[in-house]
Amino acid sequence: LELPLTGRKISVIADEYVDPEFGTGCVKITPAHDFNDYEVGERHTLPLINIFTHDARITSRTGLELEHHDNTATRYVLEDADTIGIPQPYRDKDRFEARKLIVQDLEATGLLEKTEPHKLMVPRGDRSGAVIEPYLTDQWYVKIQPLAEPAIAAVEKGEIRFVPENWDKTYYEWMRNIEDWCISRQLWWGHQIPAWYDPDGNVYVGRDEQEVRNKHKLEESIVLSQDEDVLDTWFSSALWPFSTLGWPDKTPELETFYPTSVLVTGFDIIFFWVARMIMMGIKFMGDVPFREVYIHGLVRDAEGQKMSKSKGNILDPLDLIDGIELEHLVKKRTTGMMRPKDAEKITIQTRKHFPDGIESYGTDALRFTFASLATQGRGINFDVGRIAGYRNFCNKIWNASRYVMMNLDASDLDVNDLDRELGLAEHWIKARFSQAIEQVNTGIATYRFDLAAQAIYEFTWDEYCDWYLEFSKTTLTDDTAPESRKRGTLFTLVNILEQLLRLMHPFMPFITEEIWYRTSPRLKKTGKTIMQQPFPAPTSETASNSSVLTEMSWVKLFILGVRRIRSERDIAPGKPLAVQVLGGTKDEQSFLENNTNYIKTLGKISSIVSVNDSPDDAIIALAGDMTILVPLADIIDPKVESARLEKELARLNNDKTRIEAKLTNSNFTDRAPEDVVNKEKHKLEETLASIAKLEVQHQKILKLL
């Protein structure tokens, strides 16, 4: 075919790239100006015709010779304006101006059938917004297959392990379909390409210019100019594991720290960085750069969007730690933007999401939040509200340590004094702490930092602070308790706290260091920092003490049963209750007898009496096979309670009548949507159940009048 306006002959080819169902089924192919067309040109040995200058104008260069490609006469680059057949009016014109002239000329020559609006999916510069044109240039490449094969084998043989393991599939997919790596970039910063050119265009590669001159015996009179391109950032980064340790010199640091144990990174750069570090490490060091690759999810905003400067949804960790006022936050998010036109939208979003700015949460709360979010999923939706909960956790730890230190300061406890007796609570908290240590160690070893954080949180808040501190008060305030027992309780309080601080330290380094510094003198600990202390280890003796765990579990169940009765009947927390117990196994009866002091103190119980029958007016809770009974007569005024129940029954019966009338009305049941009718039926069932329950309670109250 003859190409209009140029007079140049072009070939017609068939290729699977073209969709015959789209348009005419015929498309133009420009191998020098489109990535897909370039691949088609490779398959069919088409010439690479470049019509652009570097600033996207139509070329006017003439007198250029053919540039042979890959030493073949059939694969060549055409850039000569005369050879290409570029008409004079188009030369030196901007691309957009030239396109308008071409359409006009096609129409003038009668070759234009029609024009149609069509939205093209073209790339644009992030900062300028300008349309980016593919442009044929000479670039530096690394032949990648010889590097990729040993890197693939390293993972296959288990020399490198991915965590979670499924990410090795992503690694293999990229590595087994790898293409040669273009390593030159047209940027103002980076490692400059180590290549020099002489006036004739000959290229020389070396570590520096002097090495090039020496190697190729070039006189000083020959002017050499270094390639202006820089190395791809990922190429430079791929050298990081050993170049930072003094390579190519054999330094002590290189000997000690290469290879390292683990690389922590995100899944989005497995190929860009992880794979390339592996390839370079094996090539230049003869060994893999790390043994394990821990892949974490990407931190996204509360709506699941990837955080980016252009979206204006990034959060500076320092602003979460120290806090920031709203106006300062808005200014920070809209300054130096890649797309300034989005500033107004980002301002609106920021004011919506942070109407009062961001509070100060502290470093430890932020660190622990991220540890708790470190699941092995692809994304982490980050909500600022979650940090507030862990700030409260920090406060809980601080207040617990104050309680311990106040009791320690008020005593003459010597941590080396072995004259101390441990009760059930002490044996139990030691056993649970040993289990918590095992859970934390397992979480860290398997890179499940979320599970490790959860184990620390649950033990600290639920068991040490909420339960053991209360148990300790029972002993320490009991005038009848032996001094050895009190010493045992106080020693356990402070000993568990000190070990707990060491367990928490990798997750919350600042608050644990401060508390440990305050407590260590009383514990006669050596060393100026908690960082120099050993990480706590589980104790097999206490961890396997199942009888202690079973007994304490039942004691807690009894106390919770009494508390549930208080909650359901809205009984004041401080009101003493007379409790009756019915049944129970021999072990449970023994548990009750051995731990009456704990149960009565924490349950605010005035008396516990065993009975053979359940009173009709009693409120019931269960502790295993034992029934806990609290007679209503002891806690309520029967007349007031009867009146309350009669009022509530009247309200419920009115609701019952109203719902039944609606459901027997055919206008409603026939015309209302099925889900609406079903909802009313469900309401009736709930109302009838509530009426039945309250009528039983009312009959019991009437017996007391």
Side-chain angles (χ1 to χ4, degrees):
L1 299 179
E2 181 179 311
L3 187 65
L5 307 181
T6 68
R8 181 160 46 83
K9 297 289 194 293
I10 57 174
S11 303
V12 178
I13 60 172
D15 192 273
E16 61 185 7
Y17 167 66
V18 180
D19 180 4
E21 302 300 321
F22 182 78
T24 63
C26 296
V27 297
K28 54 84 183 173
I29 298 295
T30 57
H33 296 291
D34 182 90
F35 294 102
N36 293 316
D37 290 5
Y38 179 84
E39 298 296 332
V40 175
E42 287 285 301
R43 289 195 289 271
H44 297 275
T45 323
L46 300 178
L48 301 168
I49 300 175
N50 177 36
I51 67 165
F52 280 145
T53 62
H54 71 278
D55 55 355
R57 290 181 172 273
I58 306 301
T59 184
S60 61
R61 292 174 294 180
T62 57
L64 300 176
E65 298 179 0
L66 295 183
E67 179 185 337
H68 296 292
H69 230 59
D70 296 337
N71 297 319
T72 64
T74 53
R75 191 81 178 102
Y76 51 87
V77 179
L78 279 175
E79 295 186 278
D80 184 85
D82 291 339
T83 306
I84 298 171
I86 297 177
Q88 285 292 340
Y90 308 151
R91 299 186 187 187
D92 284 330
K93 290 289 190 299
D94 178 82
R95 53 185 160 157
F96 299 112
E97 185 182 355
R99 285 167 185 161
K100 293 177 182 178
L101 290 175
I102 290 169
V103 172
Q104 292 174 6
D105 289 348
L106 287 172
E107 188 172 20
T109 55
L111 295 174
L112 184 65
E113 180 178 341
K114 62 180 178 178
T115 60
E116 293 180 346
H118 180 65
K119 188 174 183 179
L120 290 170
M121 300 299 291
V122 296
R124 292 180 177 270
D126 287 333
R127 292 166 177 78
S128 64
V131 174
I132 297 173
E133 304 286 352
Y135 179 64
L136 197 66
T137 56
D138 287 325
Q139 303 291 326
W140 289 90
Y141 282 80
V142 169
K143 190 172 182 62
I144 208 69
Q145 199 61 40
L147 296 174
E149 290 174 355
I152 293 171
V155 177
E156 289 176 333
K157 294 175 183 177
E159 296 174 11
I160 295 176
R161 184 173 75 95
F162 279 87
V163 181
E165 292 185 357
N166 60 288
W167 287 113
D168 62 4
K169 297 180 178 62
T170 301
Y171 175 80
Y172 290 138
E173 177 65 25
W174 280 331
M175 294 295 282
R176 288 169 178 160
N177 296 282
I178 201 167
E179 296 181 357
D180 287 345
W181 179 11
C182 177
I183 61 167
S184 51
R185 294 290 181 272
Q186 294 72 53
L187 302 172
W188 287 107
W189 54 88
H191 293 146
Q192 198 169 349
I193 296 283
W196 284 261
Y197 300 88
D198 65 17
D200 296 328
N202 298 312
V203 61
Y204 308 94
V205 176
R207 291 177 177 83
D208 53 43
E209 182 178 339
Q210 194 57 49
E211 181 181 271
V212 165
R213 290 186 182 278
N214 295 341
K215 181 178 179 181
H216 297 279
K217 298 181 174 55
L218 301 176
E219 300 293 335
E220 292 295 331
S221 58
I222 298 176
V223 177
L224 297 179
S225 58
Q226 189 173 356
D227 198 309
E228 293 184 353
D229 286 358
V230 297
L231 291 169
D232 173 23
T233 301
W234 295 113
F235 184 93
S236 298
S237 300
L239 310 176
W240 181 85
F242 46 89
S243 64
T244 55
L245 300 175
W247 178 86
D249 296 332
K250 294 183 178 180
T251 63
E253 291 80 8
L254 193 63
E255 180 69 23
T256 303
F257 298 111
Y258 190 97
T260 190
S261 303
V262 59
L263 171 74
V264 181
T265 190
F267 65 83
D268 54 333
I269 54 174
I270 289 177
F271 176 68
F272 289 109
W273 194 34
V274 179
R276 290 170 178 177
M277 282 193 286
I278 295 172
M279 289 189 284
M280 292 297 188
I282 294 174
K283 172 66 177 178
F284 293 110
M285 294 297 298
D287 196 0
V288 296
F290 28 74
R291 302 300 182 192
E292 292 181 316
V293 181
Y294 168 54
I295 302 294
H296 58 70
L298 296 184
V299 180
R300 304 178 184 274
D301 66 16
E303 298 175 357
Q305 297 293 317
K306 187 174 180 180
M307 291 189 181
S308 72
K309 178 71 174 176
S310 59
K311 291 181 181 179
N313 62 346
I314 59 171
L315 287 170
D316 186 338
L318 291 177
D319 294 338
L320 297 170
I321 293 169
D322 300 327
I324 186 172
E325 295 178 353
L326 174 61
E327 297 308 319
H328 290 160
L329 180 62
V330 170
K331 183 178 180 181
K332 191 169 190 175
R333 284 184 151 195
T334 55
T335 299
M337 295 180 60
M338 294 171 64
R339 291 199 294 265
K341 64 180 181 180
D342 293 338
E344 183 178 355
K345 179 180 70 174
I346 292 171
T347 298
I348 294 172
Q349 291 177 343
T350 302
R351 294 186 185 279
K352 175 185 175 182
H353 293 144
F354 306 100
D356 301 316
I358 298 176
E359 294 182 55
S360 170
Y361 295 105
T363 306
D364 284 331
L366 180 62
R367 285 172 61 97
F368 204 83
T369 299
F370 279 117
S372 69
L373 293 172
T375 63
Q376 293 189 348
R378 291 177 62 92
I380 298 171
N381 290 2
F382 183 74
D383 185 353
V384 172
R386 295 200 61 159
I387 316 179
Y390 292 114
R391 181 179 59 184
N392 294 340
F393 182 50
C394 292
N395 293 338
K396 189 84 167 179
I397 298 164
W398 185 263
N399 291 333
S401 70
R402 287 183 61 195
Y403 165 76
V404 173
M405 291 307 298
M406 283 191 298
N407 281 279
L408 189 60
D409 291 340
S411 74
D412 58 352
L413 176 68
D414 184 346
V415 293
N416 296 321
D417 183 1
L418 300 179
D419 181 21
R420 50 180 178 262
E421 177 188 349
L422 304 183
L424 173 66
E426 284 68 52
H427 288 297
W428 166 75
I429 197 66
K430 289 173 67 178
R432 279 296 300 121
F433 184 55
S434 187
Q435 290 179 334
I437 293 172
E438 288 183 340
Q439 293 170 338
V440 173
N441 284 342
T442 300
I444 293 174
T446 57
Y447 299 100
R448 290 303 304 269
F449 302 114
D450 56 325
L451 299 183
Q454 180 182 353
I456 290 173
Y457 183 91
E458 290 178 352
F459 174 82
T460 305
W461 192 295
D462 299 338
E463 294 177 315
Y464 183 74
C465 293
D466 279 3
W467 281 105
Y468 184 63
L469 263 60
E470 296 305 312
F471 285 133
S472 72
K473 293 174 185 177
T474 301
T475 302
L476 296 175
T477 58
D478 184 0
D479 295 335
T480 65
E483 286 302 315
S484 61
R485 178 68 184 281
K486 291 187 176 182
R487 282 196 295 271
T489 297
L490 188 52
F491 176 81
T492 303
L493 260 179
V494 71
N495 182 257
I496 294 293
L497 174 64
E498 191 274 333
Q499 291 187 77
L500 181 57
L501 293 173
R502 287 189 268 140
L503 188 70
M504 301 168 71
H505 184 68
F507 298 87
M508 310 176 80
F510 296 100
I511 192 171
T512 52
E513 176 74 56
E514 179 65 22
I515 297 173
W516 186 89
Y517 179 78
R518 291 166 180 250
T519 60
S520 59
R522 290 301 308 272
L523 295 174
K524 298 182 180 178
K525 292 286 183 180
T526 58
K528 295 181 179 180
T529 171
I530 194 173
M531 290 186 289
Q532 296 175 348
Q533 305 303 309
F535 199 69
T539 305
S540 58
E541 178 183 354
T542 54
S544 61
N545 198 340
S546 59
S547 61
V548 167
L549 297 173
T550 300
E551 183 171 354
M552 182 55 78
S553 178
W554 185 88
V555 171
K556 290 166 61 180
L557 198 62
F558 193 105
I559 295 168
L560 289 172
V562 175
R563 289 175 176 174
R564 187 162 54 251
I565 290 173
R566 287 184 184 276
S567 174
E568 290 175 353
R569 289 294 174 172
D570 197 23
I571 303 169
K575 179 180 176 61
L577 296 180
V579 172
Q580 299 176 2
V581 293
L582 175 66
T585 65
K586 282 187 177 182
D587 283 342
E588 290 171 348
Q589 292 170 3
S590 177
F591 295 162
L592 178 59
E593 182 180 350
N594 295 338
N595 299 284
T596 300
N597 195 30
Y598 286 145
I599 292 171
K600 290 177 71 173
T601 303
L602 271 66
K604 299 293 190 297
I605 299 171
S606 58
S607 63
I608 302 176
V609 179
S610 294
V611 296
N612 296 323
D613 296 304
S614 172
D616 290 337
D617 65 331
I619 309 170
I620 296 174
L622 296 176
D625 291 331
M626 184 176 286
T627 303
I628 304 169
L629 306 161
V630 177
L632 282 172
D634 293 344
I635 59 175
I636 64 170
D637 182 335
K639 290 183 180 179
V640 174
E641 181 66 8
S642 177
R644 187 188 71 83
L645 290 173
E646 287 173 358
K647 183 178 180 181
E648 182 65 12
L649 280 168
R651 185 187 68 80
L652 289 172
N653 279 308
N654 286 335
D655 289 346
K656 167 179 167 283
T657 301
R658 178 179 55 79
I659 298 171
E660 285 178 337
K662 186 181 286 188
L663 291 174
T664 56
N665 185 344
S666 59
N667 286 333
F668 172 74
T669 55
D670 293 343
R671 297 179 181 179
E674 184 179 356
D675 61 327
V676 174
V677 175
N678 289 336
K679 188 176 181 180
E680 291 299 317
K681 290 180 179 179
H682 183 64
K683 280 184 184 178
L684 181 60
E685 292 174 1
E686 290 182 335
T687 303
L688 291 172
S690 297
I691 290 172
K693 183 178 178 181
L694 289 184
E695 284 178 342
V696 171
Q697 292 181 17
H698 191 224
Q699 291 302 315
K700 290 182 179 181
I701 294 297
L702 291 175
K703 292 179 181 180
L704 301 176
L705 295 175

